Amino acid sequence: MSGGALAVRGSGAAPGPLLLLLPLLLPPRARARMHHLLLKDDVRQKVHLNTFGFFKDGFMSVNVSSLSVRNEESVGKDSIGFSLDRTKNDGFSSYLDEDMDYCILKRSLSPSASITLLILDFSQNTVKMKSPPEAGTQLPKIIFTNAKVYQDLSDPKDPLVNNQTHEKQDSGRSMRSTEDLQTSAEQTYSVYRNKGAISFQFSFNISTDDQEGLYSLYFHKCPERDKQKSDQRFPFSLDIEITEKNPDSYLSAGEIPLPKLYVSMALFFFLSGTIWIHILRQRRNDVFKIHWLMAALPFTKSLSLVFHAIDYHYISSQGFPIEGWAVVYYITHLLKGALLFITIALIGTGWAFIKHILSDKDKKIFMMVIPLQVLANVAYIIIESTEEGTTDYGLWKDSLFLVDLLCCGAILFPVVWSIRHLQEASATDGKAAINLAKLKLFRHYYVLIVCYIYFTRIIAILLKLAVPFQWKWLYQLLDEMATLVFFVLTGYKFRPASDNPYLQLSQEDDDLEMEAVVTTSGVMENMKKVKKVTNGSVEARSEWESTA
């Protein structure tokens, strides 16, 4: 059974029932650029530890304080190690997992690959650094702290128990200079070993423009080719700390503009909310309750963006967020998400505009959407507060994507039902022209929702994968701009106005209800409604004729 946990210094284990509330109470350490990942008895073959975009003069520091394997005798040669992969964007990697038996540690590297491998040898207590010779200056030089390199790379002798023993056994070996290390494709370094766990430290600096890019750090545990051994899944435990920093920010290259971006978009949402309030005050006679609910949405969105910007500001300046600001952001984010889907569903059902109560069918939609939204926000918060390398991260990430799509699909049902109702009414009701106008409006709104979902959930994500690493903030910009446009168009289509076809149904339903009351009252029991024909035309007014 694999397991992973985010180690937070000074924090104890939380009781089981509080696990869902824990992300709301703890600072989001995962988005801090000082990571501490602790894995216990993990059996995964590949663990994505982290991805970070570096500009020139940025650096990464990695401290593997403890790495151990339960059944060390089952570990073969070149079976455990790390890979550092450099790409220009999220969409493409320099190597692909072709099948489950594929292991980058045991394959010869392509000359065009921008990969550095760190292959561990538990029997010799060494780590071999390997990279394509053709890479040259395209990859940064990795520096090992307090480690020595062997002159004879092919056959390091005498297993080492710790650094002190290594210094005694290796005192007569000649050491390579720093210049020689840069030109060699492979170097072997000693590692520290204590009670079966090895530890070592390494770091690198981005010294040239050619070395800029998106760097991903992976941990690999390769299965043995022998079938008997391949069935034995040997668990490993890993305690690792990672620190990343660009010249002036702890944020990744594509995230540096985000604080200013979020503040700017918050101003636009606040401005749109203010304009909407002004419209409601001018059209008080045509305002419904749903209009005030729509007014709360841009202000909640604006607050969420402000707190998000503050959260990123502290991450940028000190490498980790302030707990209070992070919690406030999560609360406003949850309220914004729930309010958005509830408002769309209420507009689609015609609540307050057409009817003052929800039907049983409508209530089922809300009983579905609201729990899904809560689950989606919980998944988002857990993702933001969990290290990428934990086993829970992938599960919650997939759950968030699935639940979000279910929410988006569920809010389309009320609009579809309204369209079907108006289509039936247009065929049977005498007010065909008005119903057709309402039908056209609902169809436009349906297309608007589909375009919004399609753009923010698919197009923007594809753009995020395609753009260079330093332009990843364009994904957030397009997502926020699409949301703003969706808010504005929704407000325009369902604005409080006497000539809005969406609002006319309520008035006509009132007339029909009043007519039903009059015709069924005891006073008018012997009366019937007739139309007077004058000069071959039907007058607009109606008269009542006694049938007594």
Side-chain angles (χ1 to χ4, degrees):
M1 185 72 179
S2 62
L6 173 63
V8 181
R9 291 188 176 91
S11 62
L18 297 179
L19 287 179
L20 291 179
L21 296 178
L22 189 60
L24 291 174
L25 303 176
L26 294 178
R29 300 286 182 176
R31 290 190 298 113
R33 274 47 185 178
M34 298 178 182
H35 308 270
H36 183 198
L37 177 65
L38 179 62
L39 300 176
K40 290 290 187 181
D41 296 331
D42 202 318
V43 296
R44 288 176 292 173
Q45 297 181 10
K46 180 179 177 182
V47 180
H48 185 192
L49 298 175
N50 195 35
T51 297
F52 195 85
F54 288 99
F55 285 130
K56 184 180 178 182
D57 297 328
F59 73 89
M60 172 187 280
S61 175
V62 179
N63 179 18
V64 181
S65 57
S66 177
L67 173 59
S68 61
V69 180
R70 180 181 296 179
N71 301 322
E72 187 175 325
E73 62 276 2
S74 64
V75 180
K77 186 179 180 181
D78 298 343
S79 296
I80 291 183
F82 297 83
S83 68
L84 185 65
D85 174 29
R86 182 180 71 88
T87 59
K88 288 299 183 180
N89 53 50
D90 271 336
F92 302 95
S93 178
S94 56
Y95 63 93
L96 301 174
D97 290 331
E98 299 174 355
D99 50 63
M100 293 300 295
D101 295 331
Y102 175 82
C103 181
I104 189 64
L105 301 180
K106 297 183 177 182
R107 293 289 184 92
S108 58
L109 296 179
S110 170
S112 60
S114 297
I115 306 174
T116 299
L117 301 180
L118 304 176
I119 305 174
L120 294 168
D121 189 340
F122 276 76
S123 62
Q124 301 293 331
N125 296 335
T126 59
V127 55
K128 178 173 67 175
M129 186 176 68
K130 180 180 178 182
S131 60
E134 292 81 358
T137 59
Q138 299 293 323
L139 295 174
K141 182 186 70 173
I142 294 182
I143 301 174
F144 282 79
T145 306
N146 298 327
K148 291 187 177 182
V149 61
Y150 291 101
Q151 184 179 12
D152 183 7
L153 301 179
S154 59
D155 185 24
K157 298 178 180 180
D158 299 327
L160 307 174
V161 178
N162 51 40
N163 279 346
Q164 183 178 3
T165 306
H166 168 70
E167 290 176 2
K168 292 179 180 180
Q169 296 179 348
D170 215 33
S171 58
R173 298 177 184 264
S174 59
M175 307 304 298
R176 293 190 175 189
S177 63
T178 304
E179 291 76 9
D180 293 334
L181 294 179
Q182 297 182 37
T183 59
S184 177
E186 295 185 11
Q187 300 93 37
T188 303
Y189 298 87
S190 64
V191 295
Y192 179 81
R193 181 158 188 168
N194 184 24
K195 296 181 180 180
I198 65 173
S199 59
F200 59 95
Q201 301 178 16
F202 66 90
S203 61
F204 65 84
N205 293 298
I206 307 300
S207 57
T208 64
D209 294 337
D210 294 336
Q211 296 175 359
E212 294 181 345
L214 200 64
Y215 285 79
S216 298
L217 182 64
Y218 294 87
F219 173 80
H220 302 271
K221 186 201 66 174
C222 300
E224 291 297 317
R225 293 184 179 179
D226 184 85
K227 293 184 179 180
Q228 184 177 358
K229 291 185 178 181
S230 63
D231 295 334
Q232 300 175 358
R233 303 193 306 171
F234 48 93
F236 68 91
S237 297
L238 175 65
D239 190 351
I240 185 172
E241 296 181 359
I242 305 173
T243 301
E244 303 146 323
K245 191 177 186 301
N246 273 305
D248 300 319
S249 175
Y250 280 96
L251 292 175
S252 179
E255 298 175 342
I256 293 177
L258 288 184
K260 294 180 181 179
L261 170 63
Y262 288 142
V263 169
S264 301
M265 294 306 303
L267 292 177
F268 281 108
F269 279 102
F270 182 82
L271 180 62
S272 64
T274 304
I275 296 175
W276 182 252
I277 292 293
H278 177 70
I279 294 175
L280 297 186
R281 290 173 61 88
Q282 286 186 331
R283 299 279 187 175
R284 293 183 179 180
N285 295 332
D286 300 316
V287 173
F288 292 88
K289 294 179 182 179
I290 188 68
H291 287 128
W292 294 109
L293 190 63
M294 294 168 64
L297 188 55
F299 290 109
T300 307
K301 175 68 174 177
S302 179
L303 281 177
S304 176
L305 288 174
V306 169
F307 294 136
H308 206 181
I310 295 174
D311 196 28
Y312 266 95
H313 169 73
Y314 283 108
I315 296 176
S316 176
S317 60
Q318 61 188 24
F320 54 89
I322 301 298
E323 180 178 354
W325 290 114
V327 172
V328 172
Y329 160 65
Y330 287 145
I331 293 175
T332 54
H333 177 78
L334 191 150
L335 292 176
K336 180 265 300 179
L339 187 60
L340 172 62
F341 282 88
I342 290 175
T343 303
I344 294 175
L346 287 174
I347 293 176
T349 59
W351 178 80
F353 291 108
I354 300 176
K355 49 190 176 183
H356 300 288
I357 59 174
L358 296 174
S359 64
D360 293 337
K361 188 184 295 185
D362 298 332
K363 291 178 181 179
K364 291 180 181 179
I365 289 294
F366 283 95
M367 291 179 65
M368 181 191 305
V369 170
I370 294 177
L372 285 176
Q373 261 300 295
V374 173
L375 179 60
N377 281 277
V378 169
Y380 173 80
I381 294 172
I382 291 178
I383 289 175
E384 290 290 289
S385 58
T386 305
E387 282 290 351
E388 192 170 359
T390 60
T391 54
D392 295 336
Y393 184 89
L395 174 63
W396 284 106
K397 185 177 181 180
D398 295 338
S399 300
L400 174 61
F401 181 77
L402 176 62
V403 171
D404 189 52
L405 288 182
L406 290 177
C407 286
C408 294
I411 60 175
L412 292 175
F413 282 105
V415 187
V416 173
W417 291 338
S418 297
I419 292 175
R420 182 178 301 176
H421 172 72
L422 290 172
Q423 285 176 334
E424 296 174 354
S426 299
T428 60
D429 196 355
K431 309 176 184 66
I434 297 177
N435 287 329
L436 287 175
K438 297 166 191 169
L439 179 61
K440 184 178 179 180
L441 178 62
F442 267 96
R443 284 175 174 170
H444 288 173
Y445 189 56
Y446 176 82
V447 173
L448 179 62
I449 295 176
V450 171
C451 291
Y452 171 71
I453 295 173
Y454 186 78
F455 186 85
T456 56
R457 268 66 180 180
I458 300 178
I459 299 298
I461 294 178
L462 292 177
L463 180 64
K464 179 182 178 181
L465 298 177
V467 297
F469 71 99
Q470 66 269 33
W471 297 99
K472 288 179 64 177
W473 57 271
L474 287 176
Y475 162 73
Q476 280 84 2
L477 174 62
L478 293 178
D479 184 74
E480 300 301 337
M481 289 295 296
T483 303
L484 179 62
V485 171
F486 177 74
F487 285 5
V488 172
L489 292 179
T490 300
Y492 175 77
K493 286 183 175 295
F494 303 105
R495 65 193 183 278
S498 57
D499 59 344
N500 192 334
Y502 189 84
L503 310 181
Q504 294 175 4
L505 185 58
S506 175
Q507 300 172 359
E508 293 172 8
D509 283 349
D510 293 341
D511 295 339
L512 293 176
E513 291 174 0
M514 181 62 68
E515 179 180 320
V517 171
V518 171
T519 55
T520 58
S521 63
V523 177
M524 308 298 292
E525 182 176 1
N526 295 323
M527 304 293 291
K528 66 177 181 179
K529 186 176 180 181
V530 298
K531 297 179 181 179
K532 180 182 291 187
V533 179
T534 304
N535 298 328
S537 61
V538 181
E539 291 185 355
R541 63 185 181 87
S542 299
E543 294 184 355
W544 296 94
E545 181 181 274
S546 175
T547 60

